[in-house]
Amino acid sequence: MIRSIRACKTAADERAVVAKECAVLRNAFRDNDQDYRHRNVAKLMFIHMLGYPTHFGQMECIKLIAAGSFPEKRIGYLGLMLLVDERQEVLMLVTNSLKNDLNHSNQFIVGLALCALGNICTAEMARDLALEVEKLLHNNNSYIRKKAALCSLRIVRKVPDLIDYVMVPATSLLTDKHHGVLISGVKLCTELCQVSEVAVQHYRKVCTAHVMSLIRVLKNLVVSGYAPEYDVNGITDPFLQIRLLRLLGLLGKGDPETSDNMSDILAQVATNTEGSKNAGNAILYECVQTIMSIETIGGLRVLAINILGRFLANRDNNIRYVALNTLVKVVSVDTQAVQRHRTTIVECVKDSDISIQRRALELICALVNVSNVKTLTKELIDYLKVSDPEFKGDLTAKISSLVQRFSPNKQWYIDQMILLMIEAGKYVTPDVTRALVVVISNASELQGYTVRALYRVFQAWNGQESLGQVTIWCIGEYGEMLVDHLNEVEGEEPLTVTESDAVDIVETVLKDTRVSSDTLAFCLTALLKLSSRFSHCADHIKALIFEYKGSVVLELQQRAIEFGSILSKHTDIKAALLERMPVLDEATYYSAKQVEMGVDGNQTATSEPHSNGHVAQPNGLAKHLAPENSLIDLLSFLPDEQPSAPDKSPDDSLLGSLGINTLAGSDIMTSPVHPSSSGGANMLLELLSLGSSPAALPVASSQESAASVQPPSLKSSLLDVQPPFAIHKGSSLTQDVLGGQPHKSPTSNADPFANLNSLSMPVASGENAAHTSIVAMQTNGLKITFEFTKPAGSPQTTIIRATHTNLSSSPYTDYLFQAAVPKFMQLQLEPASSNFLPANGDGFITQIIKATNNMHGQKAIVMKLRVSFKSNGQNNLEQAQVNNFPAGL
Amino acid sequence: IRFILLQNRQGKTRLAKYYIPLEDSEKHKLEFEVHRLVVNRDPKFTNFVEFRTHKVIYRRYAGLFFSLCVDITDNELVYLESIHLFVEILDHFFSNVCELDLVFNFQKVYLILDEFILAGELQETSKKAIIERMGELERQE
């Protein structure tokens, strides 16, 4: 039959032959053919091995087992082991036959039964037959004893409760002379020790003598001369030696006394074993593992690590592999010793075998620290250039995490990341680029350097997504530094770039077919930003943006249209809108990341805690109110994945952001006074109302939701946005409006205006001071004091009475006081008592501020103030941050 | 040891012994995957490959791959050595073994394996003992 199957040329032929054979076999089984049964079952096994179903034959095996003669039983058991697996119920039927055979007088039949039991024993069988097996452990025949030992092993694995049966008999196996029995016995003991701590105790306590005897056996093996029967390349029975070593390791773990006893023999094994052949190395390897697992003195450890060092230098890859593998485990115990082999390990990363590469890379990552990160990273990045594509992903991830964790300074970090993006741009994850952008934004003195470095490498850009995004972002933000050489770092090559060169870069990316729409969105935003700084190129930029008005990607189309309208309609606010982004808050970023990834202590090392959390946005303030989306998207670079525009329905987002513009536009039509400026102001107001109290005001739902998912830093930047807009309120209309005359405003805008008023200009009514008052702000001409009262029943709320005094010699007119608070607070400003402040402290303005601290008891109140006024016909602006509020507010 | 596979270069399984319970379909998938993993490796490479959560230790003898799947913590070198011992035993038994011997006497190969490894553990390390034992068993038939 085998011959005929082998003769088959095609799979179809083979199937036909097998089908025919199966039919014949079925018939034979049905006819209860006694004579050929075992041959039939043998055929069946072959068919099974070819991968055809053979369930119909299972019963035949059982019949064979029940038969009397040895050959039949033999085939029967073999068939049983192959065709039936332990989950099938047929096995229930075999239990009885097995029991009979275990008690059989013929040692060969007992051997067969034990063998079958060892291979397919189920939990029930284990319970039923444990006693028989235990009896056989004491059998005179070594052949039976070793099989019984391994059967017990299987039984204990299946039913750990049965451990008591075998513990004592297993001990006696350890003194056996026969190698087969010994190796099985040692394995059994090892298994017992792994399963139960009780067993470990037992062997340690009762068998100190046995530990000694184990050691003696091992010693004999090590020093004994040539033993032909067990010899493997001149080493006597390495298998047994390894088993013994492993058991010793288990016994010595956590027990100094036992460890002490065995240290001599371990040293002996480690020094006497010859490492030129595989068998010898296997023993050395196991010996090292044993040494590492027991409680040893330093000397032995050093010996072990030296052995591994020798392994590393070995030319055989197998040996190197196990060395690396063990070093990974050892590195936590003794980093110093492993560091010595660093160069060799780096070489291993470059090996062509993926098994070795992986291990070596893992080991390297465990080895890197602040002192060697520079050299190791350089090595790894060099290697990245030549490595397999499939390995690059891993390697890139590891390098970037190393660079992030151990970078000695930011410039180095930025350099390395740029290199990494050049080499393996497509493997750099968005997470990593985000982290990079945060770092760049925080390193104000390196921004110029970074953008120039990026510009330089970008000449050789080859479609790497991450490099594209970071470069475009940087050009957008810091484009002018490219042109005017700000913040040159020592040793930097001079670079001449014109404005149009910078725009050209963006254009290249924009026109490149390889980049994703995400990157295109980056480009559009960058262009918009550049338009305010590079006045020569404004028209070119406009044209570029307009091209995308018809884009099929909603996100791009929307941006193009929004940006287009900013460029063409709102030139007066454009400059303010398009200023640089606020510094991205590292602390927030990393804390968000840590929440995401679970706490990783090392990361905080690189993040510099921001003094005042999100309240303090030291410079620049965010003025990109503009379409709020663009802000969100700019920030979507950042930690939290915010839903970007495409998530919303187009209607919503248009209404939310651009809708404001058009609304404002229509007001311009109807409004008789100063159309342009009032239009601008309307929009500002609307945006203001959105920005400053997202929680309090019911505004366009999409923006509301967008605002509520923003990270704290974004919120506060929106809050900070408020003041600059006040400066723009040049027109009389807005001043009137802000001055507390809401009825003059166009009806369609009544809502936001009212809101704004309620926010900023309320009238004061007296309150008693219950807390000590503070001086909130004092400049050479102006003093503002705060007095506090707490309304009964609401500890979160504080009523602040602000008193403004003019200490200068000239009166202030158009006096306007504004305040902003962080996200966890809410603020309500009632109208001021007046907007005129007489000179020389000759009078004062009072204003009531209602502050609600939602995190009362956890965070103290902080507030940012801004005051604008006219004195001597000049516009003045003062701002301050108040954080000396009395405790308990 | 979780399973032992003998495969030729085309991926035909010549011997498969599982010490863990598996569905037939799962077994076939596994055999296929192990073969694919092992067959393309350069002779200079290590004889160990990580496979799912375990390790495959393989060794090539002419056109046959002997693969053992073991736990990740096991001593790889000793299993490599035991593959060699197994092959030596086969070689002795069939006097100069070749693939065809294994195909036509597959049940004998299984019997040898059962004398060598039981319940997934090495049972006997002496080549002589196993050969003698096989002789005795043959005489019984």
Side-chain angles (χ1 to χ4, degrees):
Chain A
M1 182 193 79
I2 296 173
R3 222 177 292 273
S4 67
I5 289 179
R6 278 183 56 82
C8 296
K9 293 243 162 33
T10 65
D13 283 351
E14 187 185 298
R15 272 197 293 277
V17 173
V18 169
K20 214 169 91 206
E21 283 291 341
C22 283
V24 173
L25 286 176
R26 275 202 187 91
N27 281 333
F29 291 156
R30 201 179 47 227
D31 300 343
N32 228 340
D33 185 348
Q34 301 282 344
D35 304 339
Y36 292 105
R37 191 181 272 152
H38 65 279
R39 193 184 297 169
N40 289 338
V41 171
K43 278 185 183 176
L44 201 63
M45 285 189 278
F46 189 79
I47 292 171
H48 175 83
M49 197 162 65
L50 293 175
Y52 295 92
T54 50
H55 301 289
F56 58 88
Q58 290 172 355
M59 281 312 290
E60 290 306 302
C61 298
I62 294 167
K63 283 182 199 160
L64 278 174
I65 291 169
S69 77
F70 178 75
E72 280 175 306
K73 272 189 191 295
R74 194 178 185 191
I75 287 289
Y77 277 121
L78 192 56
L80 187 75
M81 285 185 272
L82 288 181
L83 304 182
V84 184
D85 80 46
E86 62 191 71
R87 284 165 306 184
Q88 279 156 355
E89 296 191 350
V90 189
L91 278 183
M92 297 287 289
L93 305 171
V94 203
T95 314
N96 205 33
S97 312
L98 273 173
K99 196 166 192 163
N100 290 336
D101 287 345
L102 286 178
N103 292 322
H104 205 277
S105 54
N106 185 337
Q107 56 152 324
F108 299 106
I109 291 181
V110 179
L112 277 180
L114 281 171
C115 185
L117 191 62
N119 285 338
I120 54 159
C121 173
T122 64
E124 289 91 56
M125 287 162 92
R127 288 208 180 81
D128 293 343
L129 301 173
L131 271 179
E132 269 76 20
V133 175
E134 196 259 337
K135 244 183 281 167
L136 292 173
L137 281 177
H138 305 291
N139 198 294
N140 288 330
N141 192 331
S142 61
Y143 175 68
I144 304 286
R145 274 205 306 275
K146 73 178 183 203
K147 279 200 188 305
L150 289 175
C151 263
S152 333
L153 175 78
R154 167 93 182 192
I155 289 174
V156 172
R157 269 188 201 159
K158 284 283 157 197
V159 191
D161 305 346
L162 294 172
I163 195 165
D164 297 336
Y165 280 107
V166 284
M167 200 132 83
V168 179
T171 318
S172 62
L173 293 177
L174 295 182
T175 46
D176 211 293
K177 291 267 180 326
H178 188 273
H179 277 220
V181 182
L182 205 50
I183 196 169
S184 312
V186 171
K187 180 65 207 179
L188 176 59
C189 294
T190 313
E191 187 74 20
L192 292 179
C193 290
Q194 274 165 351
V195 172
S196 111
E197 186 55 29
V198 183
V200 180
Q201 298 299 339
H202 170 81
Y203 284 111
R204 265 193 213 135
K205 242 187 273 152
V206 185
C207 319
T208 322
H210 283 110
V211 174
M212 296 320 270
S213 81
L214 287 176
I215 291 172
R216 206 164 43 241
V217 171
L218 191 54
K219 199 170 201 160
N220 283 337
L221 289 175
V222 177
V223 297
S224 74
Y226 183 68
E229 203 174 329
Y230 298 103
D231 184 70
V232 177
N233 290 327
I235 290 162
T236 312
D237 206 346
F239 306 102
L240 181 55
Q241 289 197 35
I242 284 162
R243 282 284 148 78
L244 285 167
L245 283 169
R246 181 153 285 198
L247 179 58
L248 286 178
L250 271 174
L251 290 176
K253 196 172 189 176
D255 183 353
E257 197 192 335
T258 321
S259 303
D260 210 39
N261 284 335
M262 64 183 74
S263 57
D264 273 355
I265 185 71
L266 290 178
Q268 204 171 359
V269 172
T271 43
N272 286 9
T273 310
E274 189 202 354
S276 59
K277 291 276 172 23
N278 182 42
N281 283 325
I283 294 176
L284 286 175
Y285 172 45
E286 192 63 46
C287 189
V288 168
Q289 286 194 321
T290 307
I291 290 173
M292 288 304 163
S293 70
I294 66 175
E295 313 293 311
T296 44
I297 34 163
L300 213 48
R301 284 241 158 104
V302 173
L303 187 63
I305 292 186
N306 284 341
I307 292 177
L308 292 178
R310 253 187 289 142
F311 276 11
L312 267 187
N314 202 305
R315 261 178 320 171
D316 185 352
N317 270 345
N318 289 338
I319 311 294
R320 289 221 306 241
Y321 174 85
V322 294
L324 289 170
N325 211 353
T326 323
L327 284 174
V328 172
K329 289 179 207 144
V330 174
V331 75
S332 59
V333 185
D334 192 350
T335 322
Q336 248 2 72
V338 185
Q339 290 284 9
R340 263 180 290 155
H341 304 293
R342 214 173 56 210
T343 29
T344 330
I345 299 167
V346 174
E347 285 307 306
C348 290
V349 178
K350 301 174 186 173
D351 200 278
S352 54
D353 184 352
I354 191 125
S355 298
I356 291 201
Q357 281 175 359
R358 290 251 162 84
R359 290 282 142 242
L361 190 59
E362 209 170 280
L363 187 53
I364 287 277
C365 293
L367 278 182
V368 170
N369 58 31
V370 183
S371 61
N372 60 20
V373 64
K374 281 195 178 182
T375 43
L376 283 180
T377 312
K378 187 172 171 301
E379 288 273 359
L380 292 178
I381 290 185
D382 282 348
Y383 174 58
L384 192 60
K385 291 174 190 162
V386 292
S387 64
D388 285 350
E390 57 193 283
F391 191 50
K392 270 186 180 165
D394 263 5
L395 194 56
T396 313
K398 292 270 200 239
I399 296 177
S400 50
S401 80
L402 288 182
V403 172
Q404 266 169 26
R405 271 171 58 186
F406 297 109
S407 73
N409 60 53
K410 285 181 174 172
Q411 185 178 353
W412 185 82
Y413 172 77
I414 292 169
D415 281 346
Q416 298 308 310
M417 289 310 293
I418 293 176
L419 276 178
L420 190 61
M421 288 188 299
I422 299 171
E423 294 306 333
K426 67 174 164 172
Y427 301 104
V428 177
T429 58
D431 255 4
V432 176
T433 45
R434 271 178 215 155
L436 176 60
V437 163
V438 171
V439 169
I440 295 175
S441 129
N442 274 284
S444 53
E445 70 289 347
L446 288 173
Q447 285 161 353
Y449 167 78
T450 309
V451 70
R452 283 186 293 273
L454 282 168
Y455 179 84
R456 231 172 272 132
V457 301
F458 208 72
Q459 304 301 332
W461 185 65
N462 192 21
Q464 300 99 321
E465 196 90 14
S466 55
L467 182 61
Q469 289 184 355
V470 175
T471 311
I472 296 299
W473 187 86
C474 286
I475 290 181
E477 291 295 322
Y478 314 115
E480 75 279 8
M481 296 188 185
L482 200 54
V483 182
D484 56 18
H485 307 285
L486 272 180
N487 292 332
E488 289 237 20
V489 175
E490 219 173 297
E492 201 184 328
E493 287 170 47
L495 180 77
T496 346
V497 189
T498 64
E499 294 183 359
S500 62
D501 284 344
V503 178
D504 284 346
I505 286 272
V506 184
E507 190 179 351
T508 351
V509 180
L510 210 51
K511 296 276 157 67
D512 199 295
T513 47
R514 288 170 294 187
V515 300
S516 68
S517 61
D518 282 351
T519 311
L520 293 180
F522 273 88
C523 294
L524 288 180
T525 314
L527 282 174
L528 177 71
K529 295 207 157 192
L530 288 179
S531 69
S532 71
R533 285 167 230 174
F534 295 171
S535 46
H536 302 303
C537 302
D539 289 334
H540 184 68
I541 288 173
K542 219 180 204 174
L544 282 175
I545 290 182
F546 279 14
E547 271 179 42
Y548 281 84
K549 277 192 169 175
S551 169
V552 284
V553 184
L554 179 65
E555 166 83 15
L556 296 180
Q557 188 186 27
Q558 188 189 339
R559 278 184 196 228
I561 293 175
E562 287 167 5
F563 295 171
S565 76
I566 291 174
L567 289 178
S568 47
K569 289 190 197 140
H570 305 294
T571 40
D572 52 336
I573 57 160
K574 196 177 78 180
L577 282 177
L578 302 182
E579 259 191 34
R580 208 169 285 165
M581 274 176 83
V583 171
L584 305 171
D585 194 339
E586 274 182 308
T588 329
Y589 173 71
Y590 284 110
S591 61
K593 202 167 168 193
Q594 275 168 12
V595 172
E596 251 171 56
M597 307 183 1
V599 180
D600 179 357
N602 289 313
Q603 283 196 332
T604 37
T606 50
S607 80
E608 294 157 6
H610 215 294
S611 57
N612 261 322
H614 40 260
V615 189
Q617 292 288 348
N619 59 355
L621 305 173
K623 286 161 198 163
H624 336 242
L625 249 218
E628 188 166 310
N629 283 330
S630 81
L631 189 61
I632 296 172
D633 287 332
L634 287 169
L635 285 167
S636 68
F637 238 144
L638 282 185
D640 305 3
E641 293 289 352
Q642 293 142 358
S644 60
D647 293 343
K648 306 173 199 159
S649 75
D651 287 2
D652 265 9
S653 54
L654 283 181
L655 188 80
S657 50
L658 272 191
I660 295 166
N661 297 4
T662 46
L663 198 89
S666 65
D667 288 337
I668 299 170
M669 299 306 162
T670 55
S671 165
V673 228
H674 307 299
S676 65
S677 58
S678 80
N682 284 347
M683 188 186 83
L684 294 178
L685 290 174
E686 183 117 26
L687 286 168
L688 250 186
S689 67
L690 288 175
S692 51
S693 56
L697 298 178
V699 215
S701 60
S702 68
Q703 298 210 341
E704 182 79 64
S705 64
S708 59
V709 295
Q710 289 154 11
S713 63
L714 174 58
K715 274 267 178 66
S716 60
S717 68
L718 281 173
L719 283 173
D720 288 337
V721 163
Q722 189 174 0
F725 280 98
I727 313 169
H728 287 286
K729 290 167 195 150
S731 83
S732 60
L733 172 67
T734 38
Q735 275 178 14
D736 285 346
V737 168
L738 292 171
Q741 296 159 322
H743 303 295
K744 277 194 183 172
S745 65
T747 41
S748 63
N749 279 343
D751 247 29
F753 271 47
N755 284 328
L756 188 79
N757 280 323
S758 69
L759 264 182
S760 46
M761 298 278 126
V763 187
S765 65
E767 285 288 345
N768 295 327
H771 289 263
T772 45
S773 56
I774 59 164
V775 176
M777 181 172 171
Q778 175 142 30
T779 61
N780 44 13
L782 180 68
K783 184 179 172 188
I784 302 174
T785 53
F786 280 179
E787 294 165 49
F788 308 94
T789 39
K790 286 252 173 207
S794 58
Q796 296 189 335
T797 313
T798 309
I799 294 171
I800 305 168
R801 179 191 164 93
T803 312
H804 309 256
T805 326
N806 178 1
L807 303 173
S808 71
S809 52
S810 49
Y812 295 164
T813 56
D814 298 330
Y815 187 84
L816 176 65
F817 167 75
Q818 292 168 307
V821 289
K823 189 188 153 205
F824 61 87
M825 290 177 64
Q826 277 159 17
L827 190 66
Q828 206 178 344
L829 286 172
E830 316 227 70
S833 56
S834 154
N835 64 357
F836 176 77
L837 201 54
N840 301 325
D842 215 357
F844 51 84
I845 300 178
T846 54
Q847 190 166 8
I848 299 295
I849 307 165
K850 235 188 219 167
T852 309
N853 184 357
N854 292 328
M855 300 191 56
H856 179 73
Q858 296 165 47
K859 285 194 181 177
I861 295 186
V862 273
M863 200 179 276
K864 226 168 173 184
L865 306 181
R866 176 180 285 237
V867 176
S868 63
F869 52 86
K870 271 186 181 164
S871 90
N872 292 334
Q874 281 191 323
N875 281 325
N876 286 302
L877 185 69
E878 304 275 9
Q879 41 181 330
Q881 181 165 334
V882 191
N883 32 24
N884 56 343
F885 284 96
L889 298 178
Chain B
I1 303 175
R2 304 179 73 83
F3 59 79
I4 300 171
L5 290 179
L6 248 85
Q7 295 167 312
N8 68 6
R9 232 176 322 179
Q10 288 80 41
K12 279 240 186 298
T13 305
R14 290 306 176 203
L15 175 140
K17 182 96 183 165
Y18 294 87
Y19 297 101
I20 43 164
L22 283 176
E23 294 293 334
D24 279 354
S25 58
E26 179 70 10
K27 286 181 185 171
H28 293 150
K29 206 171 125 217
L30 225 134
E31 284 162 25
F32 176 73
E33 282 180 26
V34 170
H35 176 253
R36 208 184 37 190
L37 203 62
V38 156
V39 80
N40 288 324
R41 287 175 64 86
D42 192 283
K44 284 205 301 287
F45 287 3
T46 53
N47 295 86
F48 322 125
V49 210
E50 268 137 66
F51 174 67
R52 301 195 192 165
T53 51
H54 299 279
K55 244 183 294 197
V56 167
I57 293 165
Y58 73 95
R59 197 153 172 171
R60 186 181 160 168
Y61 288 90
L64 270 185
F65 289 95
F66 289 71
S67 315
L68 297 186
C69 179
V70 300
D71 286 342
I72 212 93
T73 51
D74 279 331
N75 185 330
E76 300 91 348
L77 297 174
V78 76
Y79 283 111
L80 196 62
E81 199 56 46
S82 54
I83 294 180
H84 185 69
L85 183 58
F86 182 52
V87 175
E88 278 187 13
I89 295 168
L90 291 179
D91 202 42
H92 245 263
F93 185 78
F94 292 108
S95 50
N96 217 349
V97 71
C98 70
E99 194 181 335
L100 282 182
D101 288 328
L102 304 185
V103 174
F104 286 104
N105 293 300
F106 72 97
Q107 75 277 41
K108 297 219 171 98
V109 181
Y110 276 112
L111 291 171
I112 296 174
L113 188 61
D114 282 339
E115 291 300 319
F116 182 51
I117 291 170
L118 179 62
E121 300 299 337
L122 279 186
Q123 177 191 178
E124 180 57 72
T125 54
S126 157
K127 190 161 55 178
K128 199 168 126 234
I130 293 178
I131 302 287
E132 278 170 8
R133 172 59 54 175
M134 282 305 290
E136 284 172 39
L137 292 174
E138 292 294 305
R139 273 196 298 281
Q140 290 277 320
E141 299 218 345

